[in-house]
PDB file of all heavy atoms in Angstrom:
ATOM      1  N   ASP A  36      -1.375 -23.898 -18.820  1.00 91.00           N
ATOM      2  CA  ASP A  36      -0.103 -24.618 -18.816  1.00 91.00           C
ATOM      3  C   ASP A  36      -0.231 -26.060 -19.302  1.00 91.00           C
ATOM      4  O   ASP A  36       0.553 -26.518 -20.131  1.00 91.00           O
ATOM      5  CB  ASP A  36       0.512 -24.612 -17.418  1.00 91.00           C
ATOM      6  CG  ASP A  36       1.002 -23.235 -17.008  1.00 91.00           C
ATOM      7  OD1 ASP A  36       1.088 -22.345 -17.880  1.00 91.00           O
ATOM      8  OD2 ASP A  36       1.297 -23.050 -15.822  1.00 91.00           O
ATOM      9  N   CYS A  37      -1.224 -26.790 -18.773  1.00 92.00           N
ATOM     10  CA  CYS A  37      -1.273 -28.232 -19.060  1.00 92.00           C
ATOM     11  C   CYS A  37      -2.514 -28.687 -19.812  1.00 92.00           C
ATOM     12  O   CYS A  37      -2.574 -29.820 -20.265  1.00 92.00           O
ATOM     13  CB  CYS A  37      -1.140 -29.030 -17.768  1.00 92.00           C
ATOM     14  SG  CYS A  37      -2.566 -28.854 -16.664  1.00 92.00           S
ATOM     15  N   GLY A  38      -3.529 -27.831 -19.947  1.00 91.00           N
ATOM     16  CA  GLY A  38      -4.719 -28.196 -20.691  1.00 91.00           C
ATOM     17  C   GLY A  38      -5.759 -28.969 -19.893  1.00 91.00           C
ATOM     18  O   GLY A  38      -6.776 -29.393 -20.441  1.00 91.00           O
ATOM     19  N   THR A  39      -5.570 -29.159 -18.595  1.00 93.00           N
ATOM     20  CA  THR A  39      -6.540 -29.840 -17.747  1.00 93.00           C
ATOM     21  C   THR A  39      -7.799 -28.978 -17.623  1.00 93.00           C
ATOM     22  O   THR A  39      -7.694 -27.763 -17.479  1.00 93.00           O
ATOM     23  CB  THR A  39      -5.945 -30.086 -16.343  1.00 93.00           C
ATOM     24  OG1 THR A  39      -4.776 -30.877 -16.466  1.00 93.00           O
ATOM     25  CG2 THR A  39      -6.935 -30.761 -15.416  1.00 93.00           C
ATOM     26  N   PRO A  40      -8.988 -29.569 -17.659  1.00 94.00           N
ATOM     27  CA  PRO A  40     -10.211 -28.778 -17.474  1.00 94.00           C
ATOM     28  C   PRO A  40     -10.218 -28.078 -16.111  1.00 94.00           C
ATOM     29  O   PRO A  40      -9.855 -28.680 -15.096  1.00 94.00           O
ATOM     30  CB  PRO A  40     -11.329 -29.828 -17.547  1.00 94.00           C
ATOM     31  CG  PRO A  40     -10.736 -30.976 -18.280  1.00 94.00           C
ATOM     32  CD  PRO A  40      -9.284 -30.979 -17.943  1.00 94.00           C
ATOM     33  N   VAL A  41     -10.599 -26.810 -16.100  1.00 95.00           N
ATOM     34  CA  VAL A  41     -10.658 -26.020 -14.870  1.00 95.00           C
ATOM     35  C   VAL A  41     -12.049 -25.417 -14.721  1.00 95.00           C
ATOM     36  O   VAL A  41     -12.801 -25.318 -15.681  1.00 95.00           O
ATOM     37  CB  VAL A  41      -9.593 -24.896 -14.847  1.00 95.00           C
ATOM     38  CG1 VAL A  41      -8.193 -25.455 -14.808  1.00 95.00           C
ATOM     39  CG2 VAL A  41      -9.758 -23.941 -16.000  1.00 95.00           C
ATOM     40  N   ARG A  42     -12.357 -25.038 -13.492  1.00 93.00           N
ATOM     41  CA  ARG A  42     -13.608 -24.332 -13.231  1.00 93.00           C
ATOM     42  C   ARG A  42     -13.293 -23.088 -12.415  1.00 93.00           C
ATOM     43  O   ARG A  42     -12.313 -23.033 -11.674  1.00 93.00           O
ATOM     44  CB  ARG A  42     -14.602 -25.220 -12.504  1.00 93.00           C
ATOM     45  CG  ARG A  42     -14.173 -25.611 -11.117  1.00 93.00           C
ATOM     46  CD  ARG A  42     -15.252 -26.443 -10.414  1.00 93.00           C
ATOM     47  NE  ARG A  42     -14.734 -26.998  -9.182  1.00 93.00           N
ATOM     48  CZ  ARG A  42     -14.653 -26.332  -8.030  1.00 93.00           C
ATOM     49  NH1 ARG A  42     -15.054 -25.080  -7.970  1.00 93.00           N
ATOM     50  NH2 ARG A  42     -14.154 -26.899  -6.949  1.00 93.00           N
ATOM     51  N   ARG A  43     -14.131 -22.084 -12.584  1.00 91.00           N
ATOM     52  CA  ARG A  43     -13.939 -20.842 -11.836  1.00 91.00           C
ATOM     53  C   ARG A  43     -14.532 -21.014 -10.443  1.00 91.00           C
ATOM     54  O   ARG A  43     -15.650 -21.488 -10.284  1.00 91.00           O
ATOM     55  CB  ARG A  43     -14.594 -19.685 -12.565  1.00 91.00           C
ATOM     56  CG  ARG A  43     -14.226 -18.353 -11.992  1.00 91.00           C
ATOM     57  CD  ARG A  43     -14.484 -17.206 -12.907  1.00 91.00           C
ATOM     58  NE  ARG A  43     -15.866 -17.124 -13.326  1.00 91.00           N
ATOM     59  CZ  ARG A  43     -16.293 -16.292 -14.261  1.00 91.00           C
ATOM     60  NH1 ARG A  43     -15.459 -15.502 -14.883  1.00 91.00           N
ATOM     61  NH2 ARG A  43     -17.556 -16.264 -14.589  1.00 91.00           N
ATOM     62  N   LYS A  44     -13.757 -20.649  -9.427  1.00 85.00           N
ATOM     63  CA  LYS A  44     -14.210 -20.733  -8.035  1.00 85.00           C
ATOM     64  C   LYS A  44     -15.002 -19.490  -7.678  1.00 85.00           C
ATOM     65  O   LYS A  44     -14.723 -18.400  -8.162  1.00 85.00           O
ATOM     66  CB  LYS A  44     -13.012 -20.823  -7.085  1.00 85.00           C
ATOM     67  CG  LYS A  44     -12.230 -22.094  -7.169  1.00 85.00           C
ATOM     68  CD  LYS A  44     -10.953 -22.091  -6.358  1.00 85.00           C
ATOM     69  CE  LYS A  44     -10.991 -21.412  -5.048  1.00 85.00           C
ATOM     70  NZ  LYS A  44      -9.743 -21.544  -4.271  1.00 85.00           N
ATOM     71  N   ILE A  45     -15.945 -19.661  -6.815  1.00 77.00           N
ATOM     72  CA  ILE A  45     -16.663 -18.513  -6.263  1.00 77.00           C
ATOM     73  C   ILE A  45     -15.867 -18.052  -5.055  1.00 77.00           C
ATOM     74  O   ILE A  45     -15.553 -18.840  -4.160  1.00 77.00           O
ATOM     75  CB  ILE A  45     -18.088 -18.892  -5.849  1.00 77.00           C
ATOM     76  CG1 ILE A  45     -18.885 -19.301  -7.086  1.00 77.00           C
ATOM     77  CG2 ILE A  45     -18.759 -17.739  -5.123  1.00 77.00           C
ATOM     78  CD1 ILE A  45     -20.271 -19.809  -6.784  1.00 77.00           C
ATOM     79  N   SER A  46     -15.516 -16.778  -5.044  1.00 76.00           N
ATOM     80  CA  SER A  46     -14.720 -16.256  -3.939  1.00 76.00           C
ATOM     81  C   SER A  46     -15.253 -14.892  -3.528  1.00 76.00           C
ATOM     82  O   SER A  46     -15.951 -14.221  -4.285  1.00 76.00           O
ATOM     83  CB  SER A  46     -13.247 -16.160  -4.334  1.00 76.00           C
ATOM     84  OG  SER A  46     -13.098 -15.356  -5.475  1.00 76.00           O
ATOM     85  N   ALA A  47     -14.919 -14.497  -2.328  1.00 73.00           N
ATOM     86  CA  ALA A  47     -15.377 -13.214  -1.793  1.00 73.00           C
ATOM     87  C   ALA A  47     -14.675 -12.067  -2.502  1.00 73.00           C
ATOM     88  O   ALA A  47     -13.486 -12.145  -2.798  1.00 73.00           O
ATOM     89  CB  ALA A  47     -15.094 -13.148  -0.302  1.00 73.00           C
ATOM     90  N   PRO A  48     -15.393 -10.987  -2.793  1.00 73.00           N
ATOM     91  CA  PRO A  48     -14.749  -9.830  -3.422  1.00 73.00           C
ATOM     92  C   PRO A  48     -13.854  -9.098  -2.437  1.00 73.00           C
ATOM     93  O   PRO A  48     -14.069  -9.160  -1.220  1.00 73.00           O
ATOM     94  CB  PRO A  48     -15.932  -8.953  -3.844  1.00 73.00           C
ATOM     95  CG  PRO A  48     -17.018  -9.313  -2.890  1.00 73.00           C
ATOM     96  CD  PRO A  48     -16.815 -10.767  -2.563  1.00 73.00           C
ATOM     97  N   ASN A  49     -12.861  -8.411  -2.957  1.00 69.00           N
ATOM     98  CA  ASN A  49     -11.961  -7.613  -2.145  1.00 69.00           C
ATOM     99  C   ASN A  49     -12.501  -6.191  -2.133  1.00 69.00           C
ATOM    100  O   ASN A  49     -12.559  -5.541  -3.175  1.00 69.00           O
ATOM    101  CB  ASN A  49     -10.559  -7.667  -2.739  1.00 69.00           C
ATOM    102  CG  ASN A  49      -9.537  -7.066  -1.823  1.00 69.00           C
ATOM    103  OD1 ASN A  49      -9.855  -6.676  -0.706  1.00 69.00           O
ATOM    104  ND2 ASN A  49      -8.305  -6.993  -2.285  1.00 69.00           N
ATOM    105  N   THR A  50     -12.924  -5.711  -0.984  1.00 71.00           N
ATOM    106  CA  THR A  50     -13.508  -4.376  -0.899  1.00 71.00           C
ATOM    107  C   THR A  50     -12.769  -3.536   0.131  1.00 71.00           C
ATOM    108  O   THR A  50     -12.148  -4.056   1.054  1.00 71.00           O
ATOM    109  CB  THR A  50     -14.992  -4.444  -0.500  1.00 71.00           C
ATOM    110  OG1 THR A  50     -15.097  -5.100   0.760  1.00 71.00           O
ATOM    111  CG2 THR A  50     -15.807  -5.199  -1.523  1.00 71.00           C
ATOM    112  N   ILE A  51     -12.876  -2.231  -0.037  1.00 67.00           N
ATOM    113  CA  ILE A  51     -12.297  -1.282   0.905  1.00 67.00           C
ATOM    114  C   ILE A  51     -13.446  -0.464   1.475  1.00 67.00           C
ATOM    115  O   ILE A  51     -14.236   0.096   0.724  1.00 67.00           O
ATOM    116  CB  ILE A  51     -11.271  -0.365   0.217  1.00 67.00           C
ATOM    117  CG1 ILE A  51     -10.121  -1.197  -0.333  1.00 67.00           C
ATOM    118  CG2 ILE A  51     -10.781   0.694   1.176  1.00 67.00           C
ATOM    119  CD1 ILE A  51      -9.150  -0.416  -1.167  1.00 67.00           C
ATOM    120  N   VAL A  52     -13.556  -0.417   2.786  1.00 69.00           N
ATOM    121  CA  VAL A  52     -14.629   0.311   3.429  1.00 69.00           C
ATOM    122  C   VAL A  52     -14.142   1.711   3.763  1.00 69.00           C
ATOM    123  O   VAL A  52     -13.097   1.888   4.374  1.00 69.00           O
ATOM    124  CB  VAL A  52     -15.091  -0.424   4.709  1.00 69.00           C
ATOM    125  CG1 VAL A  52     -16.186   0.355   5.399  1.00 69.00           C
ATOM    126  CG2 VAL A  52     -15.552  -1.828   4.369  1.00 69.00           C
ATOM    127  N   GLY A  53     -14.903   2.715   3.348  1.00 69.00           N
ATOM    128  CA  GLY A  53     -14.548   4.093   3.641  1.00 69.00           C
ATOM    129  C   GLY A  53     -13.512   4.635   2.672  1.00 69.00           C
ATOM    130  O   GLY A  53     -13.054   3.942   1.769  1.00 69.00           O
ATOM    131  N   ASN A  54     -13.154   5.882   2.852  1.00 69.00           N
ATOM    132  CA  ASN A  54     -12.190   6.526   1.971  1.00 69.00           C
ATOM    133  C   ASN A  54     -10.912   6.908   2.686  1.00 69.00           C
ATOM    134  O   ASN A  54     -10.130   7.711   2.182  1.00 69.00           O
ATOM    135  CB  ASN A  54     -12.812   7.770   1.330  1.00 69.00           C
ATOM    136  CG  ASN A  54     -13.882   7.414   0.331  1.00 69.00           C
ATOM    137  OD1 ASN A  54     -13.787   6.389  -0.331  1.00 69.00           O
ATOM    138  ND2 ASN A  54     -14.912   8.229   0.224  1.00 69.00           N
ATOM    139  N   SER A  55     -10.665   6.351   3.853  1.00 62.00           N
ATOM    140  CA  SER A  55      -9.472   6.734   4.611  1.00 62.00           C
ATOM    141  C   SER A  55      -8.196   6.365   3.869  1.00 62.00           C
ATOM    142  O   SER A  55      -7.171   7.013   4.029  1.00 62.00           O
ATOM    143  CB  SER A  55      -9.479   6.093   5.997  1.00 62.00           C
ATOM    144  OG  SER A  55      -9.432   4.686   5.875  1.00 62.00           O
ATOM    145  N   HIS A  56      -8.233   5.335   3.023  1.00 59.00           N
ATOM    146  CA  HIS A  56      -7.043   4.947   2.261  1.00 59.00           C
ATOM    147  C   HIS A  56      -6.673   5.999   1.220  1.00 59.00           C
ATOM    148  O   HIS A  56      -5.544   6.083   0.794  1.00 59.00           O
ATOM    149  CB  HIS A  56      -7.268   3.598   1.589  1.00 59.00           C
ATOM    150  CG  HIS A  56      -8.303   3.620   0.525  1.00 59.00           C
ATOM    151  ND1 HIS A  56      -9.648   3.718   0.799  1.00 59.00           N
ATOM    152  CD2 HIS A  56      -8.180   3.610  -0.821  1.00 59.00           C
ATOM    153  CE1 HIS A  56     -10.315   3.743  -0.336  1.00 59.00           C
ATOM    154  NE2 HIS A  56      -9.465   3.684  -1.321  1.00 59.00           N
TER     155      HIS A  56
END
Side-chain angles (χ1 to χ4, degrees):
D36 290 347
C37 68
T39 301
V41 294
R42 65 177 170 82
R43 191 162 57 189
K44 292 172 38 175
I45 296 175
S46 57
N49 190 4
T50 59
I51 298 173
V52 179
N54 290 327
S55 63
H56 67 287

